[in-house]
Each structure stands twice: as C-alpha cells, then as structure tokens.
Amino acid sequence: MCGIALSLGPEADPTTFRRMLATLAPRGEVTETRYENGLLAGTRRLPIVDREHAAQPCVSADGRWLLCYNGEVFNHRELRAELVRLGHRFHTAGDTEVVLAAFLHWGEGLVSRLRGEYAFAIVERPTGRAYLVRDPLGVKPLYWTRTPGCLHVASEIKALAGHRAPIAEVPPGHHGWAEADGSVRLRAYVDLLALGEGLPVVDDPDEAALLVRAALTDSIRMRVDTDLTVGVVLSGGLDSSLALLHVREMHPDCVAVTVGVPDSPDVAYARRLARDLGVPHEVVELRPRDIRLADIREAIRLSELTEYGDIINAVVTVPLFRRLRELGVKVVLTGDGSDELFGGYPMYHEVGPEASRRLFLHKIRNLCRTELQRVDRASMGHGVEARVPFLDLSLVELAMRLPIGLKMRDGQEKWIVRRAFADLLPGYVRRRPKNPMSYSSGLHERARLYKPFFARLHRSFGYHLLEPVRRDFDSVLTRCGNDLDRALADGRARPDYTVLEHARDLVGAAKWNAAPMVRRLVGPRRTGGDGATLPG
C-alpha cells in the first residue's frame, strides 16, 4: 500500500509537488519520486510485497508508460503466470509490475481481471495524459484537482487542499483518461447497483450458507498471502471474530487488537475469544476522560470525514491503529462491510423488501466515503495496510442475490452468516447481538461531547473543497421513518446541523458524561476495617 501523488502539465511545480507528497508521508516508509518536465510523480511506499525490489514509480521497458500505484492486487500471482505465458518478462516479484504489464497487454481491459483493493494512475509520458483507476468498492482512494496549466492527482484530500481549488474524486469502480490541460473523462467498469442482476436469487438456506462460507473463506485466504504478521481488529463481534478464526488457521503468525473501556462489552468478548484461541491479544484501554478536543481534531484531520457518526468511529479507531504501528504490524484484517451486506442494521428490517433493497444499495454505494474512508485514513495514517475481506467483489455480488429473509430471521441480524459458520463460532459470539463499535467500546458519548466543533474543524482543513459537511445520514433516516427519498431530500435541504440541534447534542452528551461523577458522589460508601468510611 502507498500514498501516491502526481502533478501533470506545463505548470507542474516541484516545490508544490513536494508539499503534496509530504502530506502523505504517514502512508508509507519509503519516498520514491520521478521529476520530469511537465510530469512530477511520487509514492510514499509501504513495503509489503517484494519489499526490496518493487520500487515506484514503475516505468515500462520502452519508457512510454509510468505507473503510480496504491493498494494490492491479490490475484497478482495468477496474472503473472498468465502474462509470462504470453511472453512478458518480469524483474520483480511484486504486484506493481504485474499491474503495468497487464495494462500493456490488455489495455483498459485489465480492470476486469484485477481482484483487490487499489487505486492507480498510469501516465503516457510523451503526451502527459493519465489513465486513472479505482477499485470497485472504493476501498482505496483517489482524488484530483486542477490549477492553471496543471492536473494534480493524490491519494488523500489533504494533499490537494493546499491548491484551494475544487476537488473531485475518482468514483469507485470507475476508470478513464485525464488530460494534463484538458478534461477528465471517467466511466464505470463495475456498476455496484447492478451486481447480481440476471443471476438467480439464492433463497435456499443450505445453498446460501455453503456459498457464503466458501466466498468469505476464499476472500480471507487471498488477503493473508504474506510472510508478515497479520493483525485482526477484534471487537468480539461476529464479523471480526470470523476474521480472527480464519486468520489463526491460515496464518499462525497473527495478533488481535481491541480498543475500549476496560469493562466494555468489546473488551470482554475479545479477551475471551483471543484466550480461547490462544492468539496474542493487545487491548488499547481508554477511558472516556482520555478523549479530549485535541483527539477529535486529530481524528478529523486524519480521516477527512464529513458525517458525525463516522468521525466518532474514527476517534475510537485512531489509537487502535497507532498501537498496531507500535507493534510493527503492517497488515491487518477488519470486519467492515458485513453489516451493510448481510443486514446488520435495524433499518433493513423495519421496511418492506423493496425499500430494504434500496437502503441496502444506498449503503453499499456510500461505503467509500464513510466506513471505508475511515478505515483507509486511520490505518494508512499510521503506516498500516487494512484489508476488508467482507468486501471482496464476489462476496458483494453474492449478497446482492440473497433475499432479506436470509439476512434477518427469527429476530437475528446476519442470520445467514451465523448459520454458514455455526460449527466454527463459539456460542457466546454467535449469540452476541449487533452493537456499533463506538457504542460497545464504551467511548461513544464522550466523543459526542465535542460534536458541535466537528463542522468547523472539518472546514479548517479545507476538506469542504471536495464536499460540504453532511448531516449524519443514519440520524436523518431514522427521523424520516427509514424513507430513503425523504432522508435524501432532507439532507440536501439542510446539509449541516442547526444551532438548536448542536445545543441539544451538547446537553445530552454533558448529562451522560456527568452521570459517573454523580454516581460517585451519591453512591453507597464502603466501610474500612477500622470503621472509617471509604469513597465508593
């Protein structure tokens, strides 16, 4: 994984470019650049595959094409073997060179062959035009902006905000050409909303369970193909527990990491599972009072997020990835995406099947700027590569074919996932109900105390150049009775929170944070052995 930056065009300025690349420094360990007239390209590379030789930017043998690449193509070994049979010669064992060779052989058709989490730019050096690509779910980010005489491309918004010009993203599943001094024309190569169309619905529970099990197992196997230690972000819930169960069997050099208040549900469940599996377990213990305004500011600076719920989750996960960096863990698996795919949210089950599918598609389409953006920035901001096995395209397509009745049954969310792995999951994990990470960590309300400052902080970093601050969509949707059309209209009409709503949130959070102090003051007092009273 890497952070990439490019400036293309006659006005490309080395000093400005170096500032862009410097903002991406936390994403990797090695800075690699190429400076040419009208083409400035660089990566901040986190060495994972072929760590000694897979340098970037990667230039084709004939010198015509230059690749800046972020992410990983998990089927690079299969692609390499096919390309070797077709006559290509390779000088490294990494996936970077495979991506460039695939482009040279198949052109834009390479996107139908890649399986992974990636975003990259391939520049035609004689003309200065660039071919931009982003993976189907938008796990890896890519943005661009334009100043007079120059096109700038980068992995994060913060690398482009200094230009003070409007910023645009390469949408998930899109690719196309950008001219250094002209237009950017992108088109979809994967339509998330049409996945599974024309394929039969899988409504038999036995068949569905077998397919889910096979798809997730294969997805995890692809993502642990490394000689490095593999970490698992473990909340003790269904999804992260499944990830740990598989990683322990497939890659014995693994470690679990959990964040939360010492007596929170996440910490309790995670400790028990890690102990039962014999897996090394690191717990980042935080208490609500440990979260201060400086932590909120850093989480927003790092994550670039706009919705309050996602920012609060970022506040919780930043210290987790900081600890992984301290441990020297560079590859980690998370359970993100499962709730969206398999009915982990109450809203899916409070409306009819048609409305439920629309909500499902809306969540999937917006993952790139919510959960996935949080995971990418919080992990890469500490030099850790986070992989999301639940969002392998094959598993997403399968989830599109499952009726809501298999996702929610007998009052239990993600029913089909629980059934698919019933023989592997300990009963206490299988029966544990869904609880959002920020709540079950015990840290949610403390972060909400600073909620009125979120919008101002977001704008202070220039992130509004991509999009304005958004209202927390889940809250809007709940208030609108899970009516997607009403919620979208409400969000457009009032994108940010009102002063009254800010005040209400502040009062509510203040009351919650004051409650422990009140309990200590008015609670029963213990008596010491000498008859003295001790604080409760």
Side-chain angles (χ1 to χ4, degrees), residues 166-213:
I167 299 170
E169 72 170 339
V170 176
H174 279 62
H175 67 153
W177 292 91
E179 305 292 338
D181 57 353
S183 61
V184 176
R185 297 187 178 89
L186 304 173
R187 64 189 186 281
Y189 66 89
V190 169
D191 182 357
L192 284 179
L193 305 188
L195 278 181
E197 284 188 0
L199 297 174
V201 172
V202 182
D203 54 9
D204 177 77
D206 292 332
E207 180 186 6
L210 288 172
L211 291 173
V212 167
R213 182 162 179 151

Side-chain angles (χ1 to χ4, degrees), residues 307 469-473 476 479 490 494-497 501:
E307 293 193 25
V469 170
R470 293 173 180 256
R471 300 168 68 80
D472 196 359
F473 187 75
V476 176
R479 192 180 63 248
D490 186 288
R494 292 189 303 159
D496 199 358
Y497 276 65
E501 287 169 317

